[in-house]
Amino acid sequence: MNNTVNLSKRLKETASFVPPGIRFADIGSDHAYLPSYICLSDLTAQAIAGEVNEGPFQRARETVSFYNLSDRIDVRLGNGLKVFSPGEVDAVVIAGMGGSLIRAILEHGSDRMAGTKRIIAQPNTDERDVRKWFSTHGYVIMDEVLLEENGHIYEIIVGDKHTGRQQLTGKQLLFGPRLLQQKSDLFYQKWEQERKKRHRIIEQMKHAKVPEAAKIASFEKELLWIKEEVEDDCP
């Protein structure tokens, strides 16, 4: 039997933030590759692989069976965080979805989060939505990572439960508080792309039959932030 799982660079980096020896839930687990990868390398880990659709649910069960992990990975069919009970997991992983969907999953399942000390989110888009949810629900952003895979730059956002509340500025919500401190080469690359994208959007909106002044002003404000944080000190 093969005792390794061939994970993408994105999922390997996401998996690296799951603390050893805990019980965690992987929401939208698809083939259950990520929990299988973790449980094969950490013999003390236990996981719940959650899927909302029957097809991916069955594929996840097949993967777990193939790796002989049925005693440590429980594959469950259900919507979002409803696949586990309050206090049942120490960490939650949600990867490969839009940030607005991740935020909705967290919001609709917030009653299940008792005892959940860490959330590891890997949004494909709308990362700000994830940060907003963290900041209003007692999760402090402990780490953030940028990585490139197949021509796309991804973000991983790690939030730990805290008794206080992390107040984030508009800039921190947009760029990421940790990423703003680090400012890696990928940071500059990503925000140069985003700057061009916002320019195009503004031009399109200005030529609309009924220009939306508030939205245009919001994008122009973000362009100013990009100039302040990226262009003015671009290496």
Side-chain angles (χ1 to χ4, degrees), residues 22-128:
I22 68 164
R23 185 171 177 85
F24 68 95
D26 181 30
I27 305 302
S29 195
D30 198 7
H31 289 76
Y33 289 148
L34 184 143
S36 296
Y37 172 86
I38 291 173
C39 287
L40 285 171
S41 59
D42 177 6
L43 300 183
T44 61
Q46 296 184 50
I48 296 169
E51 256 306 330
V52 69
N53 294 314
E54 183 69 29
F57 167 72
Q58 292 298 338
R59 290 195 293 272
R61 292 182 68 183
E62 291 167 7
T63 299
V64 170
S65 176
F66 176 78
Y67 289 108
N68 290 332
L69 290 169
S70 299
D71 60 330
R72 292 198 290 131
I73 301 177
D74 191 0
V75 184
R76 299 180 184 177
L77 184 65
N79 189 9
L81 307 189
K82 303 300 182 184
V83 296
F84 63 84
S85 302
E88 194 175 6
V89 299
D90 298 302
V92 171
V93 178
I94 313 180
M97 308 176 197
S100 57
L101 178 55
I102 292 176
R103 182 181 183 180
I105 288 171
L106 293 170
E107 190 64 39
H108 294 153
S110 58
D111 60 323
R112 306 297 173 105
M113 299 295 284
T116 303
K117 301 178 181 69
R118 170 165 290 191
I119 302 172
I120 303 145
Q122 185 274 293
N124 291 343
T125 58
D126 301 319
E127 298 88 356
R128 177 164 39 188

Side-chain angles (χ1 to χ4, degrees), residues 205 211-221:
M205 293 176 72
E212 298 183 67
K215 286 187 177 181
I216 291 173
S218 177
F219 278 114
E220 287 178 336
K221 183 177 184 180

Side-chain angles (χ1 to χ4, degrees), residues 8-11 13 145-156 184-187 189-190 193:
S8 66
K9 177 182 176 182
R10 172 180 61 85
L11 287 181
E13 189 70 28
V145 172
L146 282 171
L147 62 95
E148 185 176 16
E149 188 172 58
N150 299 324
H152 188 86
I153 298 175
Y154 295 97
E155 292 188 14
I156 299 170
S184 65
D185 290 344
L186 275 180
F187 180 88
Q189 186 178 327
K190 169 177 176 148
Q193 294 173 2

